[in-house]
Amino acid sequence: MIADSPWVTTHPPSMVDLDSCVTCGLCLPVCPTFRLTGDETASPRGRLAAISAVGENRAVLDERFDEITSFCLQCRACETICPSMVPFGSIMESARSEAVAQLPRRGVRVRRLLLGRALRSPLLLRLVSLLAAFGQRVGALSLLPRVGQVTRGLRRIPLPLPTARGGSWGDVENAVGTERVVLFSGCVADVWFSGVHAATIEVLVAAGYHVDAPANQTCCGALASHSGFGRPAAAMACENIRAFADAPTVVVNVAGCGAHIKQYAAHGEAGADLASRTRDVTEVVADAIEAGRLPVLPQSGRQVAVQDPCHLEHGQRIVDQPRRILEAAGYEIVDVDAGGLCCGAAGLYQVDHPETAAQLGTAKAAKVADAGIDLVASANAGCEMQLRRYLDSGYEILHPIEIYAQAISPRFEGDG
Ligand code: SF4
Ligand code: SF4
């Protein structure tokens, strides 16, 4: 920490990055919170100005700073359009860490325990998942307001609880060099979205890969980092860097997790190396289809509505690959709200800003409903849950890889 610096964490917002904003305002129309409020302090430019003011000791880090930074969804739509390539996501994560470290907040200990510890413990996650599975079956989750709010839109959790951790699939004999791919199983996704893992494994094995999932991997740290708990998030990154040290390619099927792992360069050379070996499942499978390792099915006349998760479109700049996979599955693509706003899922945003999350969720659901197609493809667990919260029960919402797995292998049913 330099003298007179207002920052207290080891990774504070970079003044060089902050200074790269030329205040052109091109980011304002794509920012969901600015679009909803029309307020400059709810825009990317306004947020950068607020963080710069504290960094230059022109303002103090106070409750207002906390409000301005926590109202951001961290959707990174501003990054995609910014001509100066301001790394808004990492600036905001650092600013949130400073706010959490410097301001007393109610519930901060519980949140640190939940995001920094519980998500790293497979045992605790399984215990919570078991309770949630029973809660779903007896209809108890909706009776607990906070829990019901977060778990609404969740798939039915299978019993007995599944796990991909420690598993190995495909032809080990022929799996050499780049033919081996390693599955990132995630924290809650390992149990709650096990159908996506099953489809991912099914398709990758069909493409001739050997797939395995190290048992010692952990949560990517995105939820902790977005919520301002930089230190536990860094510890999780280090655990994953060790767990995936020998993985030629790490395949991720939750867009939010993939976008975060691709930012591990913040954790040094080994982190940058892992980031460079990490690919979204849609990248790997679209390439395998193009290389002729997976079939292209004839058009079936069926349609699928495609929703672009922010952490796929803006966080990883992946837009075409899910569409190419769904076309190869024989579907006609119907874009839902292309270039539109975030759906409002955004980790714990719906707990902190339920009204804004509901406004954005309702708007996104209306766009899906306008498309008039009851099959929706979404490549991010959080977006899938948010869509299910605001759409009626007549819609089937699946990961693109599940739709492709079902098409090439009708015996595959998953758990969607
Ligand atoms: S688009 Fe980029 S440079 Fe322009 S105001 Fe927004 S953050 Fe700043
Ligand atoms: S990350 Fe999203 S909500 Fe936050 S400032 Fe950028 S566009 Fe707005």
Side-chain angles (χ1 to χ4, degrees):
M1 190 173 71
I2 39 178
D4 299 330
S5 169
W7 310 128
V8 299
T9 67
T10 47
H11 288 97
S14 152
M15 295 313 290
V16 174
D17 288 343
L18 285 162
D19 287 345
S20 63
C21 173
V22 295
T23 67
C24 64
L26 282 175
C27 53
L28 271 62
V30 302
C31 174
T33 50
F34 178 75
R35 286 270 290 274
L36 287 177
T37 62
D39 179 357
E40 173 73 17
T41 61
S43 77
R45 184 175 64 185
R47 291 184 173 115
L48 294 173
I51 300 166
S52 290
V54 170
E56 292 164 0
N57 290 313
R58 290 182 284 107
V60 290
L61 196 158
D62 57 8
E63 293 300 324
R64 183 67 186 132
F65 179 92
D66 191 36
E67 278 168 26
I68 289 172
T69 54
S70 76
F71 192 43
C72 172
L73 292 139
Q74 300 185 57
C75 69
R76 297 170 64 182
C78 46
E79 269 191 34
T80 300
I81 200 150
C82 177
S84 298
M85 294 189 287
V86 176
F88 195 90
S90 59
I91 292 174
M92 190 52 62
E93 284 177 6
S94 299
R96 293 298 309 136
S97 288
E98 290 290 341
V100 168
Q102 298 196 41
L103 297 171
R105 289 180 98 210
R106 253 185 58 219
V108 76
R109 285 206 183 132
V110 175
R111 212 168 262 215
R112 184 179 285 119
L113 201 65
L114 178 71
L115 302 176
R117 289 252 169 231
L119 293 184
R120 286 161 79 179
S121 163
L123 196 65
L124 212 51
L125 282 171
R126 291 184 80 72
L127 184 63
V128 169
S129 298
L130 198 60
L131 291 173
F134 283 119
Q136 279 181 327
R137 280 154 181 82
V138 298
L141 293 183
S142 54
L143 301 176
L144 305 164
R146 286 249 163 170
V147 176
Q149 189 185 352
V150 174
T151 55
R152 200 154 54 95
L154 196 59
R155 296 176 178 207
R156 188 175 169 87
I157 298 171
L159 285 174
L161 297 177
T163 182
R165 284 186 192 209
S168 176
W169 305 267
D171 187 352
V172 185
E173 291 289 308
N174 294 322
V176 287
T178 55
E179 296 301 291
R180 173 181 170 234
V181 293
V182 177
L183 178 69
F184 174 75
S185 60
C187 50
V188 290
D190 189 38
V191 178
W192 297 5
F193 293 87
S194 58
V196 183
H197 286 349
T200 299
I201 293 161
E202 171 108 7
V203 171
L204 291 174
V205 169
Y209 288 108
H210 169 69
V211 186
D212 60 83
N216 58 343
Q217 61 179 301
T218 190
C219 168
C220 67
L223 275 174
S225 183
H226 290 181
S227 302
F229 299 104
R231 193 175 287 192
M236 291 182 223
C238 291
E239 273 183 58
N240 282 326
I241 289 166
R242 280 194 296 275
F244 294 115
D246 71 341
T249 302
V250 177
V251 178
V252 187
N253 56 24
V254 178
C257 305
H260 191 69
I261 296 172
K262 287 181 179 181
Q263 286 190 306
Y264 273 8
H267 305 289
E269 217 173 288
D273 181 49
L274 173 54
S276 72
R277 290 181 278 119
T278 299
R279 301 188 79 200
D280 187 75
V281 64
T282 58
E283 295 179 278
V284 178
V285 171
D287 282 356
I289 291 169
E290 200 171 311
R293 298 172 67 146
L294 285 166
V296 175
L297 303 184
Q299 287 299 301
S300 62
R302 289 171 297 178
Q303 293 182 312
V304 58
V306 180
Q307 180 258 347
D308 292 300
C310 295
H311 284 109
L312 203 61
E313 181 179 4
H314 305 303
Q316 302 182 63
R317 310 290 161 97
I318 295 172
V319 175
D320 288 343
Q321 288 88 337
R323 289 166 172 78
R324 297 205 319 251
I325 293 168
L326 292 165
E327 275 169 0
Y331 283 84
E332 182 193 333
I333 308 299
V334 177
D335 287 323
V336 170
D337 197 20
L341 300 178
C342 172
C343 68
L348 295 184
Y349 197 83
Q350 63 199 289
V351 177
D352 295 332
H353 302 282
E355 283 174 18
T356 307
Q359 268 178 295
L360 292 167
T362 306
K364 186 65 78 177
K367 297 274 186 188
V368 173
D370 285 348
I373 298 158
D374 58 9
L375 177 61
V376 185
S378 176
N380 190 46
C383 305
E384 177 192 309
M385 285 176 68
Q386 181 77 336
L387 288 174
R388 209 171 278 124
R389 283 182 192 114
Y390 295 100
L391 282 168
D392 67 46
S393 57
Y395 290 86
E396 190 174 19
I397 307 161
L398 296 171
H399 192 290
I401 217 67
E402 290 178 289
I403 297 172
Y404 185 76
Q406 286 177 1
I408 63 167
S409 176
R411 68 185 168 78
F412 180 81
E413 287 177 0
D415 67 8

